[in-house]
Amino acid sequence: MATCDDNWQTKRPTISERTKFIFNNELLSDVKFAAPASNIESESRKSQKSIPAHKFVLAISSPVFYAMFYGEMAETASTIELPDCDYESLLELFRYLYSDEVNLTGSNVMQVLYLARKYLVPSLAGRCTEYLREHLEASNAFSILRHAQKFEDKDLEERCWNVIELHTEEAVTSDDFVTLERSIFESVVKRERLNVKEVDLFKAVDRWATKEMERQGLTPDGEGKRRVLGEEIVNAIRFPVMSYNQFASVVLDCDILTKRELGVMIKHYGDASLKCPLPFIHSVRSGSIVHRCYRFNTLQTSWGYGGNADALRLTTSKPIALHGVQHFGSKGGNYTVSLEVKDALSGLSLVKQTGTYSSEKDETNGYYGFDVMFSHPVYLEQDKRYGVVSLIRGPSSCSVKTGKTAVEVQGVQFSFSHSAAFTNGTGVNSGQFPTFLFSLR
């Protein structure tokens, strides 16, 4: 039997403290779970680690564990092996069941989400999904997309596609792109809204085809890559929008196109007046267009920063993706900024961006400023109130003098109101945040 300090219960006055104390503790444990450790350094080391647990605690938190230990076919083994997960992720599942706390990271969140769904713990699944939303960026969008589709999370899937469309070049050059299953890969190549040069998309397609042949144990060559790609994917690549130099230096050497297709393309580049039919789409992809919402009528020349944050509340009449917020600056001014967007009702932080920025002249309106762009867009819901908060350090800048309470851009009405928080003074009529950068959803 495990030992511990006498009267340990009296030192922990709440049930949550006592339950947290017995987490991963042999004390009163009546079952163990064994799972493979994910950080095994060598084959000679023990491949499994065990976690002591308490049937009652697990059962009151999960209907699956309740059935496992107290159902008609109750498990009687003293140790239960779980080969479908790793020790570290299982430990986080149990931590949550014992304490309502969880330590999520990029390396464990997918496995913890899997366990939360397997053992029917929806609140933990929600925490995992929220973590993925907050940490979604172009470099991991395909990895998260796979799981969003697997778990039928339509909102998260849409967010992934929006990031991929906006930051396509970074997404298709990520390590995850060449490991994509065919269905997702094909969806990318056929997509109308992509922010990438067509020649760079073709390079990514060629890399995927090369890896696919290697996965099949074949030596990559042009004919083989054409076969694994298939006609639909090849025909979805918009070769005519490439320049002749791009086509000649990149596409020709890959040997993916047939002689007839190459001949048609050479004629296309040789004489644009020829009206020979092209076997490929010849229109440029539309991309994700980022619009600007200006919220002021006139400007004033001096706005100082004394250590308090500038804040403003924002509501939109339609759902949008907010990509960033322009800040006022000064000629030659450098600023350190910590920008955050929050749910105004709950206070939950949706995105946070920090950095140092140099102001430049806005050619449209003539003032000096700089764009603080989020690493991934934050998705604002229709008619929901959000808080925009920015802690700025730097020289005095210009600012809004007569701001607008409402502005309509691209059919979206932006409504502004004062923040309830104590701030540096920004409000509807004066202060910071001249421009909001957004795209339509």
Side-chain angles (χ1 to χ4, degrees):
M1 175 180 284
T3 60
C4 62
D5 296 337
D6 291 338
N7 302 325
W8 60 271
Q9 300 91 334
T10 63
K11 300 173 184 177
R12 294 164 179 84
T14 66
I15 184 66
S16 62
E17 290 176 296
R18 295 192 291 273
T19 307
K20 287 170 66 173
F21 177 73
I22 62 172
F23 162 66
N24 198 22
N25 193 327
E26 294 279 359
L27 178 67
L28 302 177
S29 171
D30 52 2
V31 68
K32 291 184 179 179
F33 287 82
S38 63
N39 58 352
I40 299 300
E41 296 177 3
S42 70
E43 291 297 326
S44 61
R45 298 190 62 178
K46 195 171 182 179
S47 61
Q48 283 196 327
K49 298 178 71 174
S50 64
I51 304 173
H54 308 77
K55 295 179 180 179
F56 174 76
V57 176
L58 301 184
I60 63 173
S61 303
S62 159
V64 177
F65 283 128
Y66 179 83
M68 180 184 295
F69 298 125
Y70 300 102
E72 293 181 0
M73 303 292 290
E75 179 65 62
T76 58
S78 60
T79 298
I80 299 173
E81 295 190 3
L82 297 178
D84 64 335
C85 66
D86 60 68
Y87 165 84
E88 291 76 13
S89 299
L90 183 63
L91 190 66
E92 291 309 315
L93 169 69
F94 286 175
R95 186 192 309 278
Y96 186 80
L97 299 185
Y98 280 75
S99 67
D100 291 327
E101 299 173 0
V102 63
N103 299 324
L104 295 176
T105 66
S107 60
N108 74 15
V109 63
M110 297 299 190
Q111 183 73 204
V112 175
L113 176 58
Y114 164 74
L115 292 172
R117 291 181 178 272
K118 176 182 177 181
Y119 292 103
L120 300 181
V121 188
S123 56
L124 176 58
R127 292 274 287 274
C128 294
T129 301
E130 189 61 37
Y131 179 93
L132 291 173
R133 289 171 180 163
E134 292 176 359
H135 293 80
L136 174 62
E137 53 190 29
S139 61
N140 62 20
F142 286 120
S143 175
I144 296 176
L145 176 63
R146 286 187 177 112
H147 289 78
Q149 292 182 339
K150 177 181 178 181
F151 296 125
E152 299 182 344
D153 189 328
K154 297 300 182 183
D155 179 68
L156 183 57
E157 181 180 352
E158 181 186 355
R159 291 168 185 259
C160 290
W161 280 121
N162 282 331
V163 170
I164 292 165
E165 289 178 346
L166 183 67
H167 303 286
T168 311
E169 183 175 358
E170 184 179 352
V172 300
T173 55
S174 67
D175 293 339
D176 288 331
F177 182 77
V178 294
T179 67
L180 287 178
E181 51 270 35
R182 184 180 183 84
S183 60
I184 298 178
F185 170 69
E186 186 171 335
S187 294
V188 174
V189 180
K190 291 182 175 180
R191 220 158 183 86
E192 175 65 28
R193 295 176 59 186
L194 293 177
N195 274 329
V196 65
K197 294 178 181 178
E198 200 69 23
V199 67
D200 291 330
L201 178 62
F202 175 78
K203 291 177 183 178
V205 168
D206 184 56
R207 286 195 302 274
W208 184 91
T210 300
K211 287 294 184 181
E212 180 62 21
M213 291 198 69
E214 292 174 353
R215 284 190 285 267
Q216 296 180 16
L218 303 173
T219 301
D221 59 22
E223 183 179 345
K225 287 188 282 189
R226 175 74 178 229
R227 186 176 62 256
V228 300
L229 287 173
E231 297 307 303
E232 286 193 29
I233 290 178
V234 173
N235 291 332
I237 301 170
R238 306 184 180 192
F239 296 104
V241 307
M242 300 180 192
S243 69
Y244 173 75
N245 288 337
Q246 291 172 339
F247 185 84
S249 61
V250 176
V251 179
L252 285 179
D253 291 339
C254 292
D255 293 326
I256 287 178
L257 297 185
T258 66
K259 289 183 179 180
R260 188 187 70 82
E261 291 166 342
L262 289 174
V264 171
M265 289 301 301
I266 294 302
K267 290 180 180 179
H268 165 71
Y269 289 118
D271 188 348
S273 64
L274 292 176
K275 300 300 181 181
C276 56
L278 293 173
F280 307 106
I281 302 171
H282 51 83
S283 60
V284 178
R285 298 177 196 264
S286 62
S288 296
I289 302 173
V290 176
H291 307 282
R292 288 179 173 261
C293 170
Y294 295 95
R295 76 171 192 95
F296 59 88
N297 288 313
T298 57
L299 304 174
Q300 58 187 6
T301 57
S302 181
W303 190 264
Y305 306 102
N308 292 322
D310 285 275
L312 189 69
R313 285 189 172 178
L314 165 69
T315 304
T316 61
S317 62
K318 295 180 181 179
I320 65 166
L322 184 65
H323 298 280
V325 180
Q326 187 186 50
H327 288 54
F328 282 119
S330 59
K331 185 176 182 179
N334 294 315
Y335 298 83
T336 300
V337 177
S338 178
L339 171 66
E340 192 169 11
V341 177
K342 298 182 177 182
D343 183 315
L345 183 61
S346 67
L348 177 68
S349 177
L350 304 179
V351 66
K352 188 172 185 178
Q353 192 72 34
T354 60
T356 301
Y357 303 86
S358 299
S359 59
E360 299 178 354
K361 191 172 185 178
D362 186 297
E363 298 301 331
T364 302
N365 295 281
Y367 58 81
Y368 286 88
F370 52 91
D371 296 340
V372 179
M373 304 297 289
F374 302 125
S375 58
H376 59 277
V378 57
Y379 300 98
L380 308 187
E381 302 300 329
Q382 175 181 335
D383 297 328
K384 189 172 182 178
R385 185 173 293 179
Y386 296 91
V388 180
V389 184
S390 191
L391 181 60
I392 307 165
R393 293 183 176 87
S396 296
S397 70
C398 56
S399 67
V400 171
K401 184 177 182 180
T402 54
K404 302 177 182 178
T405 58
V407 180
E408 184 170 325
V409 182
Q410 295 294 317
V412 180
Q413 180 168 299
F414 289 73
S415 299
F416 305 101
S417 58
H418 296 287
S419 172
F422 176 75
T423 71
N424 191 47
T426 287
V428 174
N429 298 318
S430 61
Q432 260 291 351
F433 313 132
T435 310
F436 293 86
L437 295 89
F438 73 100
S439 62
L440 303 175
R441 289 177 60 185

